[in-house]
Amino acid sequence: MNKENKRAKNNIFLDDRENIVIINPPEDFSFNECLIFLGRSSNEVLHSVVDHSFIKLIKINNEMVFIRVYEENGNLLIEFQNQPSNVEIKLLAANYIWDLFDLDRDLSSFYELAKQDGLLDSLIEKYYGLRLIGIPDLFEALCWAIMGQQINLTFAYTLKRRFTEKYGEQFNWHDDVYFLFPNPDVIAKLEISDLTSLQFTQRKAEYVIGVAKLMSEGKLSKELIMESGDYEEKCKHLISIRGIGNWTADYVLMKCLKEQSAFPIADVGIHNALKIQLGLHKKPTIEEIKELANNWVGWEAYVTFYLWRSLYS
DNA sequence: ATCCAGGAACTGT
DNA sequence: ACAGTTCATGGA
């Protein structure tokens, strides 16, 4: 069987090397910019960035798949550390990476729009090719948002690490241990005190377990949100859940559902980034941000992501 | 020490 | 609808 026959979707190819699958990314994609985002915390527990490559454990069809992704001759190579049981798993892993790096997105109109915007033009130049890296797993996206509510990011990473290392499935490889984000079924069975002992606040423990129960009971899922209607309906659906307010709903729609119009306008990161980019002496008001955002319709999520990117040089 | 952090629920008007 | 209060903890 030749390579053409084994082609998965456009731009994903099997290689002669048994442990490699190749992704041919779009022109306006910068793996390096994405790595800078992915490597922003040394306390990240769910992946690592080492030596210009992205390393992550994922689970596909109930199978642990441990991959390293790196660039070679303008292509993205997915290198399987442990050999998957069949070709389908490999192609699904490539699809996962394709989606994680948002490679389906055609950024040309975003860049056109940004060139006309005095604030964005320098950002798209500096971070050209940066893609909105998502959180495909809804439970992870919700938990991460809840954990991050009203605390500094450093501590949020600590909470996520403790949570994951205690309740996530683990995989041992070459004397190291790697983790998957915990499953809602596991978290749904916990007591509040199980999480407050990890320094979750009482509230956050309640929220996370509550979300886990909803998902475990099948009352909440990515599919159910997608089916709940237009953006506003999806937002309402999420906000009806205890612990999820405007910010979290927008954040999750942006990072998990990949809604291009998602805009967590109350986010202090956005406020700080705008303050710096605009050279203001204090953070802009919501009204001022809304005014600016009139130019960003349809690309608010990308604007947000680029603004966040600007906060860690 | 003091302020604040990738907010949200609750309460009172 | 809207504003003020409470939650709770670590980082800078």
Side-chain angles (χ1 to χ4, degrees), chain A residues 17-32:
Chain A
R17 289 164 286 186
E18 196 65 17
N19 63 335
I20 299 279
V21 172
I22 297 178
I23 288 177
N24 181 230
E27 277 298 313
D28 53 359
F29 164 66
S30 166
F31 184 55
N32 197 45

Side-chain angles (χ1 to χ4, degrees), chain A residues 27-93:
Chain A
E27 277 298 313
D28 53 359
F29 164 66
S30 166
F31 184 55
N32 197 45
E33 275 302 331
C34 292
L35 283 188
I36 291 171
F37 167 76
L38 288 163
R40 72 196 186 285
S41 170
S42 55
N43 206 17
E44 173 63 64
V45 64
L46 295 173
H47 65 254
S48 57
V49 174
V50 181
D51 195 22
H52 301 289
S53 52
F54 170 65
I55 296 166
K56 187 172 178 64
L57 175 69
I58 53 183
K59 196 171 192 180
I60 298 177
N61 292 355
N62 214 31
E63 185 171 321
M64 291 291 203
V65 181
F66 186 37
I67 56 176
R68 181 170 80 95
V69 182
Y70 59 100
E71 200 167 35
E72 187 182 271
N73 301 327
N75 288 319
L76 276 192
L77 270 62
I78 299 170
E79 180 187 80
F80 297 93
Q81 310 301 295
N82 61 330
Q83 191 61 15
S85 61
N86 60 60
V87 172
E88 188 196 354
I89 303 273
K90 293 186 196 176
L91 295 175
L92 287 171

Side-chain angles (χ1 to χ4, degrees), chain A residues 291-308:
Chain A
E291 182 68 29
L292 292 167
N294 285 332
N295 294 334
W296 306 336
V297 175
W299 287 102
E300 292 89 340
Y302 259 85
V303 172
T304 299
F305 201 66
Y306 273 60
L307 285 171
W308 284 343

Side-chain angles (χ1 to χ4, degrees), chain A residues 14 29 73 150 157 205 226 235 243 247:
Chain A
L14 294 173
F29 164 66
N73 301 327
Q150 188 58 17
Y157 277 107
M226 279 193 285
C235 229
W247 178 85

Side-chain angles (χ1 to χ4, degrees), chain A residues 16-188:
Chain A
D16 292 334
R17 289 164 286 186
E18 196 65 17
N19 63 335
I20 299 279
V21 172
I22 297 178
I23 288 177
N24 181 230
E27 277 298 313
D28 53 359
F29 164 66
S30 166
F31 184 55
N32 197 45
E33 275 302 331
C34 292
L35 283 188
I36 291 171
F37 167 76
L38 288 163
R40 72 196 186 285
S41 170
S42 55
N43 206 17
E44 173 63 64
V45 64
L46 295 173
H47 65 254
S48 57
V49 174
V50 181
D51 195 22
H52 301 289
S53 52
F54 170 65
I55 296 166
K56 187 172 178 64
L57 175 69
I58 53 183
K59 196 171 192 180
I60 298 177
N61 292 355
N62 214 31
E63 185 171 321
M64 291 291 203
V65 181
F66 186 37
I67 56 176
R68 181 170 80 95
V69 182
Y70 59 100
E71 200 167 35
E72 187 182 271
N73 301 327
N75 288 319
L76 276 192
L77 270 62
I78 299 170
E79 180 187 80
F80 297 93
Q81 310 301 295
N82 61 330
Q83 191 61 15
S85 61
N86 60 60
V87 172
E88 188 196 354
I89 303 273
K90 293 186 196 176
L91 295 175
L92 287 171
N95 275 312
Y96 175 89
I97 293 299
W98 179 273
D99 291 334
L100 184 67
F101 286 86
D102 203 32
L103 296 180
D104 259 348
R105 196 79 50 200
D106 178 0
L107 294 187
S108 52
S109 68
F110 171 56
Y111 284 149
E112 281 305 313
L113 163 158
K115 271 181 212 163
Q116 314 300 322
D117 185 292
L119 171 65
L120 296 181
D121 57 351
S122 68
L123 293 182
I124 61 162
E125 193 166 331
K126 278 188 212 165
Y127 312 128
Y128 183 79
L130 174 64
R131 301 266 165 169
L132 202 168
I133 310 289
I135 304 176
D137 175 28
L138 177 65
F139 186 56
E140 181 188 336
L142 284 167
C143 289
W144 176 235
I146 290 168
M147 287 181 210
Q149 288 169 3
Q150 188 58 17
I151 60 171
N152 63 76
L153 263 181
T154 309
F155 183 50
Y157 277 107
T158 301
L159 287 180
K160 183 168 82 163
R161 172 176 289 278
R162 288 177 187 158
F163 183 68
T164 300
E165 289 182 346
K166 184 150 186 188
Y167 297 109
E169 201 175 341
Q170 75 174 55
F171 177 75
N172 296 293
W173 184 254
H174 290 184
D175 297 329
D176 280 318
V177 57
Y178 299 85
F179 292 90
L180 295 175
F181 194 76
N183 188 299
D185 298 338
V186 173
I187 305 307

Side-chain angles (χ1 to χ4, degrees), chain A residues 181-221:
Chain A
F181 194 76
N183 188 299
D185 298 338
V186 173
I187 305 307
K189 296 190 180 79
L190 299 183
E191 303 294 331
I192 303 294
S193 59
D194 292 321
L195 295 183
T196 53
S197 67
L198 304 181
Q199 311 316 128
F200 280 59
T201 61
Q202 181 82 17
R203 293 273 169 80
K204 285 184 186 181
E206 291 168 11
Y207 298 164
V208 165
I209 292 172
V211 166
K213 283 181 175 165
L214 286 175
M215 293 191 69
S216 182
E217 293 162 358
K219 294 176 184 165
L220 172 64
S221 70

